[in-house]
């Protein structure tokens, strides 16, 4: 390759265009025409010229994609029009109801719909001012989002500057930032190798990446985008279909033409949906359904909104993706509380963006109910959760030698007896010092939901345990540089990172600390209740069962477990060691709002809220003296119902003493 040299401004513009072309070949067509090395040389030349001519740098220069600055958190920005979510339909009948509602409201059946992919990523609103990308906001609460401009600029398929005539002074487009399945898989492989927590799915990976503070890191995540909307679009285009064409002209990324369709009837929409569903597996990115929008934008205003959904559009969600594979073996995993979980070891199969080789079988009852045997051909499914499950067995393919599985009588890790606890389907290893349990406890202790010690994931903890450097959680706080340097791949930077995050975790709220101890039956809710009640760890260790059961939300079984945990000398010694090794347990904040209508009331939350995350809502309740519970019972006072409520809502409606609150009611009571 001839080395490029920029002499004139025209050379500079040519080089920009050349690099943009290469980005297109690489990121959009996935067919690079030059090597990475050659690309880097061109980029270096561009950057050299820009350094010498800072006043002449153009907005669309590829060098502007990654800014140097590391943000200290995100500013907030207000959306020019609300970012709403769509009402979901899950069956063809429900889809038909949506179409009929539109016909009825418009008083005609002569309506065209634009059907398109429902990309499974994270929503974004991007503003171009005089054609230049100036701001990108996440959806946030629909009114206000996080300003992630620097991160969005790293998306190579997105123009930094729009070319062409008649570009409005301000153009705010809406789309979905996503991660390709392949990129997601590679990212998780690397994270696993580094002992970091893997992302559950490409959607989480995309959303997580957008929230990184260092745009350079975001750039490595190779995010992509598809755009499907314009805020206040009526002033720019007249139909959704035309919007796609408009975007195409401006080189704003849209779905492939095969992936949107103008339909004139429910039948056509269903045909399109079935076609897309059949292609879903082969797509390089994840979708979770299709979106159907009334095509004529003038009709959108006429149809309006119901609460927070538009009446002119709906999502039609596909069933979770399934795959067929074979059970090669059933093994046992020992959890942190000693529960033995049977796990199906599968012939590796690709499903929803990752290769699956294991699926949980929950317990013996579940195995018997589904009649699952070793050697069976099974259908597996990956729903919203990370861990896939076995849905059913293909009995027509059952081999004669398919083996019935029985739970072992001994723990596979420490060979102690297994005990069956009354009224529980689970069986547990009876040895509290079982090394399988201990390692799981350590991993849990450092995990995000407990002490949240970054850089101390499964792999690193496994190595520390194996080397005998960490035998119990309090040992983590004694680790030093020389010990960490014995770990494979641990150099100066990784050692510093880990020691810093250990240090950071030392200041810790009482409820988090309680969670991290891994007391049987003590999850987040119980830990919060205990922290609020006892205020400090010392008081807690002395509480008796009679005291504990007076706490609303704590029953006898949980109280027994807490008492027996604090009766154990070893546990008390471990708590002393934590304090000795530098942990500072912080008392819960005093509640300010006693006397509030929420005081002493029990809430259950169901569905998603527009203005708050669930934990924000729970905190607001707690700050006002109320508490939250995960189950609806006669003790429930209020059920706060968001979008797509679950069965809790149905149950609550049947109990006369429960007050059902909409988000609006909740806000006014606050
Ligand atoms: S239109 C007024 N079109 O699905 C609603 N959304 O619950 C505007 N999504 O928040 C959204 N693909 O993040 C629209 N082709 C598409 C989409 C799409 C994915 C996401 C988007 C939105 C959610 C709807």
């Amino acid at each position: 390759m001839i080395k490029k040299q920029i002499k004139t401004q025209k050379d500079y513009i040519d080089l920009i265009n050349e690099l943009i072309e290469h980005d297109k070949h690489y990121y959009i067509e996935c067919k690079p025409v030059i090597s990475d090395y050659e690309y880097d040389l061109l980029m270096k030349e561009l950057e050299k010229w820009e350094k010498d001519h800072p006043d002449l740098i153009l907005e669309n220069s590829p060098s502007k994609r990654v800014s140097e600055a590391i943000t200290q958190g995100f500013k907030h920005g207000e959306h020019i029009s609300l970012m709403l979510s769509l009402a979901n339909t899950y069956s063809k009948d429900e889809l038909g109801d949506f179409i009929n509602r539109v016909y009825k409201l418009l008083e005609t059946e002569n309506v065209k719909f634009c059907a398109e992919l429902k990309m499974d990523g994270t929503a974004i609103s991007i503003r171009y001012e005089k054609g230049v990308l100036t701001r990108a906001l996440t959806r946030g609460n629909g009114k206000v989002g996080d300003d992630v401009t620097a991160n969005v600029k790293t998306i190579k398929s997105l123009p930094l500057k729009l070319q062409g005539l008649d570009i409005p002074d301000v153009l705010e487009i809406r789309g979905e930032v996503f991660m390709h399945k392949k990129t997601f898989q590679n990212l998780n492989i690397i994270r696993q190798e580094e002992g970091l927590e893997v992302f559950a799915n490409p959607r989480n990976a995309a959303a997580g990446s957008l929230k990184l503070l260092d745009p350079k890191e975001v750039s490595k995540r190779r995010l992509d985008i598809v755009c499907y909307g314009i805020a206040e679009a009526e002033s720019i285009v007249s139909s959704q279909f035309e919007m796609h064409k408009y975007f195409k002209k401006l080189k704003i990324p849209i779905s492939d033409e095969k992936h949107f369709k103008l339909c004139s009837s429910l039948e056509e929409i269903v045909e399109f949906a079935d076609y897309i569903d059949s292609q879903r597996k082969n797509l390089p990115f994840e979708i979770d359904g299709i979106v159907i929008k009334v095509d004529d934008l003038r009709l959108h205003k006429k149809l309006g909104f119901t609460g927070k959904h538009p009446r002119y559009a709906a999502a039609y969600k596909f069933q979770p993706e399934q795959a067929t594979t074979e059970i090669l073996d059933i093994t046992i995993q020992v959890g942190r509380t000693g529960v033995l979980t049977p796990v199906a070891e599968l012939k590796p199969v690709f499903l929803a963006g990752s290769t699956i080789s294991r699926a949980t079988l929950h317990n013996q009852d579940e195995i018997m109910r589904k009649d699952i045997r070793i050697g069976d051909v099974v259908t597996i499914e990956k729903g919203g959760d990370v861990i896939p499950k076995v849905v059913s067995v293909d009995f027509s393919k059952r081999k004669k030698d398919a083996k019935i599985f029985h739970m072992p009588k001994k723990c596979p890790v420490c060979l102690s007896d297994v005990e069956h606890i009354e009224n529980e389907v689970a069986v547990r290893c009876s040895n509290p010092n079982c090394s399988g349990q201990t390692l799981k406890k350590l991993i849990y202790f450092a995990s995000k939901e407990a002490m949240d010690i970054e850089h101390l994931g499964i792999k690193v903890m496994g190595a520390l345990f194996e080397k005998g450097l960490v035998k119990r959680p309090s040992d983590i706080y004694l680790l030093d540089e020389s010990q960490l340097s014995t770990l494979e791949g641990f150099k100066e930077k990784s050692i510093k990172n880990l020691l810093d995050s250990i240090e950071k975790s030392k200041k810790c709220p009482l409820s988090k600390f309680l969670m991290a101890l891994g007391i049987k039956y003590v999850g987040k809710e119980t830990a919060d209740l205990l922290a609020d009640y006892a205020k400090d760890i010392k008081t807690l260790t002395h509480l008796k069962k009679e005291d504990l059961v007076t706490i609303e939300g704590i029953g006898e079984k949980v109280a027994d477990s807490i008492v027996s945990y604090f009766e154990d000398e070893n546990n008390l010694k471990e708590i002393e060691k934590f304090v000795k090794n530098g942990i500072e347990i912080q008392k819960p904040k005093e509640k300010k709002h006693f006397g509030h209508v929420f005081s002493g009331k029990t809430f259950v939350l169901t569905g998603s809220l527009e203005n708050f995350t669930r934990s924000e809502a729970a905190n607001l309740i707690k700050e006002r003296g109320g508490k939250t519970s995960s189950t609806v019972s006669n003790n429930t006072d209020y059920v706060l119902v968001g979008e797509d409520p679950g069965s809790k809502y149905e149950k609550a409606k049947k109990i006369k003493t429960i007050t059902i609150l909409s988000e609006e009611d909740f806000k006014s009571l606050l």
Side-chain angles (χ1 to χ4, degrees), residues 400-505:
K400 278 211 185 74
D401 59 350
K403 232 168 86 191
I404 296 180
F405 173 82
H406 295 286
M407 287 298 276
K409 300 266 179 294
K410 304 262 181 213
C411 166
V413 179
C414 70
L415 305 179
S416 305
D417 285 343
V418 156
E419 52 188 24
H420 201 131
I421 307 215
E422 215 186 320
N423 300 327
E424 277 186 31
V425 272
V427 290
R428 294 174 196 270
C429 162
S430 57
N431 171 13
N433 300 316
C434 163
S435 64
Q437 280 182 56
T438 310
L439 177 57
K440 285 279 162 52
K441 276 194 184 113
L442 287 168
I443 292 168
Y444 172 75
F445 180 86
S447 69
K448 207 168 184 66
E449 45 184 330
M451 298 300 274
D452 195 9
I453 309 179
E454 234 191 315
H455 311 288
L456 192 49
I458 300 172
K459 202 173 156 209
V460 178
M461 190 61 98
L464 289 167
F465 183 64
E466 210 171 278
K467 281 183 183 284
L469 294 173
V470 173
K471 296 196 186 79
R472 54 187 73 79
S474 62
D475 293 344
I476 296 171
Y477 296 94
L478 294 175
L479 286 169
D480 62 25
E481 215 178 305
S482 73
Q483 288 173 325
L484 292 183
S485 65
T486 63
L487 298 186
E488 203 184 306
F490 261 63
K491 304 238 161 56
E492 207 177 313
K493 180 146 184 259
S494 30
I495 294 174
K496 183 176 180 310
N497 284 344
L498 180 49
L499 288 176
D500 283 353
S501 16
I502 293 175
E503 194 56 38
K504 202 171 112 197
S505 77

Side-chain angles (χ1 to χ4, degrees), residues 84 305-309 610:
L84 298 164
F305 304 89
T306 64
K308 59 186 198 178
H309 303 308
E610 190 181 350

Side-chain angles (χ1 to χ4, degrees), residues 84-86 116-119 123 176 228 291 293 310 312:
L84 298 164
S85 60
L86 297 166
E116 47 193 57
L117 300 187
K118 184 165 186 320
M119 302 296 298
E176 196 86 347
Y228 46 66
V291 178
K293 299 171 182 170
Y312 54 80

Side-chain angles (χ1 to χ4, degrees), residues 581-623:
N581 298 352
I583 291 242
E584 286 173 44
I585 306 167
Q586 289 161 338
K587 286 189 178 189
K589 284 195 206 117
E590 281 302 323
K591 305 274 178 294
K592 292 169 252 149
H593 287 275
F594 277 100
H596 190 271
V597 277
F598 291 179
S599 178
K601 302 288 188 229
T602 303
F603 281 72
V604 173
L605 275 53
T606 175
S608 57
L609 302 169
E610 190 181 350
N611 294 292
F612 318 93
T613 63
R614 280 168 82 119
S615 60
E616 277 165 1
N619 279 337
L620 290 167
I621 294 165
K622 284 184 200 155
E623 277 171 18

Side-chain angles (χ1 to χ4, degrees), residues 82-88 115-124 139 174-177 226-229 240 244 255 287-293 305 308-310 312-315 317 643:
L82 277 181
M83 276 184 90
L84 298 164
S85 60
L86 297 166
N88 289 324
E116 47 193 57
L117 300 187
K118 184 165 186 320
M119 302 296 298
D120 201 6
T122 180
I124 196 85
R139 178 166 177 262
R174 304 263 160 95
E176 196 86 347
V177 172
V226 156
C227 297
Y228 46 66
Q240 179 69 18
H244 286 285
S255 281
I287 57 169
D288 56 345
I290 61 164
V291 178
I292 305 100
K293 299 171 182 170
F305 304 89
K308 59 186 198 178
H309 303 308
Y312 54 80
K317 303 260 269 189
E643 185 198 352

Side-chain angles (χ1 to χ4, degrees), residues 237-275:
V237 284
S238 61
S239 75
Q240 179 69 18
F241 207 71
E242 201 191 303
M243 186 187 302
H244 286 285
K245 287 201 223 147
Y246 178 71
F247 281 165
K248 193 173 173 194
K249 204 175 81 191
L250 293 181
K251 297 207 166 69
I252 292 172
I254 50 169
S255 281
D256 191 288
E257 268 160 46
K258 293 197 292 289
H259 297 148
F260 52 92
K261 191 178 172 205
L262 204 53
C263 303
S264 302
S265 64
L266 174 65
E267 289 68 35
E268 270 186 73
I269 298 172
V270 168
E271 193 189 321
F272 175 75
D274 288 344
Y275 163 71

